[in-house]
């Protein structure tokens, strides 16, 4: 498994396991532990969380899994996020959904994540969404404090556009190490609007959420999904892939921006399949065939 | 009244009095003088003009007011603008509306503003609109000359996007000190497109025109205006504001970009009300409730 | 004829002759030679090509013309492009249209262009379109090698937005010298979206393709074209131009970004007419009248 160096003290596995739906997989803690250990055998050592995943429950569930085998902590990288406040029975004080990137909330959220995970450090903390009310100086204060205390080793963002990244980065003594963005054969916005170009320019490897487009490629009857599915099937045959999922992973993995896909499945077969996709080589012609099937027209 | 430091030789009152409609207020010069003196008592010392306001008549009207009490000049900051040429009976040579940011026009416009105001310096001159025919070197020449002569102490722009700001700034030996943009609960464009993020990144306090959305919040039957009005009414009660106007001012004043709202009313009660709004504290939750009522949907 | 300095070792004629349709002009090589010599007499010494023009045939056709009088080479600047792969009987290996900015393809394409032109150097090589699969480091390697070998003296891009320009520029030891973009009275996108502002900021003279809007101004019955045509006719009379084409050229030539229009005609009268347009002076008012006729409304 390739590793991606994000900073002096952080490298990630090229494929990340995403725990967005961890609480929905109907697995016992022992089963999750076995899944995680199998991931590590495959070289997948980075696990992606957020405070809000599973209605604020995924972090603590994973923390309980780690408690079954505490020595795992030293062999994995924990990514989590903060900044969104959900309406939830687990947060009865929230009356509306909103963002909170105040120093107080960031620190409180991290303290809570540390408790949930039963750990004393987070490898990478991301601001979950660009906050139109963000005070960049205040975020920087929170980050500085958490870094000095050793509670968070590295910082990044998610779903930021270039100008939002610039704003926050301008206030930090250390650079943001990643931008976790939506990237898939059906989600081309970040390819078009400069976000991915910005990442490549600044040598920031982006993490890709929903790299399988939330399953729409497999089942949707929208025209775009049908076109893409047919093209993926054709190329699957050409490159001897086992599934169109593998072609979708290969499409992201082959991009020069060094995209880090987040595999969000609880099924070990699907995770293994994603790892195998690292071996698939697409020609430029094939890469553009897929792109064009999604755009619905030729490039200019 | 808070003051905002824009440069070594310019600080503004946090709330600015806008003279866009000065000629429409049906006030005698003596009445305007009393209004201005009352503003100064409230701490509002900055007055916003443009060459074209009142069909080219507001500057000279205010100049006549100042002549009634010349010692006022030293206690106020005069902001004016140039760069738009209106079709007007007062400018019979204009056949179409267009922009002119030539060195000749900028200098001529400032000379005219100085005469209108009966003053020998402008505290802050803004280019009124981004000019697609702008020669940034020529604007810089005009600015340099006006600054050397002491006729204009500081320079800024209005309605510029980040790339237009970058272009003009790149030619100047001194930084542009503000960008006067439309910002209100009904005007979210500059929140979305990076303009406000750019201001925060570069620590440029933006001035906000039409902070009351031109009155549409009070009377419009558009869906957006109705939603916003209802939300403002709700929050007015929660924070014990006297009016939804105060909530709208508080919504801008609480933003971390240090927005400077321009109050464009000739009624002293409304101006006092805006000043009182500086005391209102909105929670983040309330700030986002207002935002979301304007967007028509939750944040992502 | 004015010259535009693009780098230490490249200056271009202010008007460039475009050979996009060279193969469609039904001219003998001798006739093309005479046309080129007449261009040079007029001061037009820069000729714009691309590998793909004329279905991959224009470069070699022009190379044969140059062979009739090899001493011409030292008196002209050759511009060509690479990066697009067309479906073509001349490239039977291409199954879909796609972009290729790999080091291998760039070098191979340049070697081919050198053979086609019967020359040992290209004055300026452009990447024809922004490639969403571009590896900027790899492009830089190709450029470095070609520059060291003396095969290409200068590099630029075409149809790039600011962020794409920034990305590629960030990897080069020498700056990109131009961005060839669509600019005309009917193509305002690059005026609006920051591309032209970026060029002016970085003092990069842009080349303008389709400066006559592909002929639509002359014949189209679309509302926009009709409005623009009427306005151009009016201004033609005011400035004593010989044709609305001259007014369109003057509209680009007068812009402060120092736009270099590419005249794509095989008719010497039309080329002479473009050169004459350099003498036409438009007022700002006229410039905006044309702009506003294209936008369909007044400026704000």
């Amino acid at each position: 498994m390739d590793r991606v160096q994000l900073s002096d003290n952080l490298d990630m596995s090229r494929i990340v396991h995403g725990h967005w739906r961890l609480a929905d997989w109907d697995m016992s803690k022992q089963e999750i532990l076995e899944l995680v250990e199998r991931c590590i055998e495959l070289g997948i050592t980075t696990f992606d969380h957020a405070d809000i995943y599973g209605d604020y429950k995924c972090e603590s569930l994973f923390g309980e899994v780690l408690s079954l085998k505490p020595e795992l902590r030293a062999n994995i990288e924990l990514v989590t996020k903060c900044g969104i406040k959900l309406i939830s029975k687990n947060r009865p004080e929230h009356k509306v959904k909103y963002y909170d990137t105040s120093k107080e909330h960031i620190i409180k959220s991290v303290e809570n994540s540390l408790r949930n995970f039963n750990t004393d450090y987070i490898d990478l903390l991301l601001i979950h969404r660009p906050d139109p009310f963000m005070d960049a100086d205040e975020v920087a204060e929170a980050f500085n404090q958490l870094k000095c205390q050793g509670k968070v080793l590295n910082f990044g963002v998610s779903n930021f556009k270039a100008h939002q990244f610039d704003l926050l980065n301008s206030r930090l003594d250390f650079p943001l190490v990643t931008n976790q963005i939506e990237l898939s054969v059906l989600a081309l916005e970040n390819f078009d609007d400069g976000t991915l170009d910005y990442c490549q320019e600044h040598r920031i490897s982006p993490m890709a959420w929903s790299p399988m487009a939330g399953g729409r490629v497999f089942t949707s009857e929208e025209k775009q999904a049908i076109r893409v599915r047919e093209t993926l099937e054709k190329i699957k045959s050409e490159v001897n892939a086992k599934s169109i999922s593998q072609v979708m992973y290969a499409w992201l993995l082959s991009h020069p921006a060094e995209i880090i896909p987040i595999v969000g499945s609880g099924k070990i077969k699907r995770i293994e399949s994603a790892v195998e996709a690292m071996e698939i080589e697409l020609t430029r012609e094939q890469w553009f065939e897929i792109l064009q099937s999604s755009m619905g027209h030729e490039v200019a």
Side-chain angles (χ1 to χ4, degrees), chain A residues 243-256:
Chain A
S243 63
I244 62 172
S245 299
Q246 288 195 331
V247 182
M248 283 192 277
Y249 282 120
W251 192 78
L252 292 178
L253 288 163
S254 62
H255 191 278

Side-chain angles (χ1 to χ4, degrees), chain A residues 127-140:
Chain A
I127 299 293
H128 206 148
R129 290 265 172 198
D131 172 6
F133 201 71
M134 179 174 77
D135 182 333
D137 291 302
E138 200 177 326
V139 176

Side-chain angles (χ1 to χ4, degrees), chain A residues 179-197:
Chain A
N179 190 5
Q180 185 177 121
I181 54 183
E182 188 180 13
L183 292 169
S184 76
V185 292
L186 291 186
L188 302 182
E189 182 184 300
N190 288 306
F191 286 91
D192 287 338
D193 68 6
T195 308
L196 196 59
D197 290 318

Side-chain angles (χ1 to χ4, degrees), chain A residues 11-13 23 27 35 40 43 56 70 89 111 134-135 150-151 170 177 188 195 209 219 225 236 261 266 273:
Chain A
D11 59 283
M12 283 186 178
S13 51
M27 294 167 71
L35 183 70
I40 295 171
Y56 293 98
K89 62 180 190 306
E111 302 282 7
M134 179 174 77
D135 182 333
K151 290 177 180 172
S170 74
V177 302
L188 302 182
T195 308
W209 60 265
T219 56
K236 182 188 100 172
S273 170

Side-chain angles (χ1 to χ4, degrees), chain A residues 199-218:
Chain A
C199 288
Q200 187 180 160
E201 181 186 345
H202 296 278
R203 302 196 188 280
I204 294 155
S205 297
M207 301 174 74
W209 60 265
S210 272
M212 297 295 103
R216 282 187 297 134
V217 175
F218 306 109

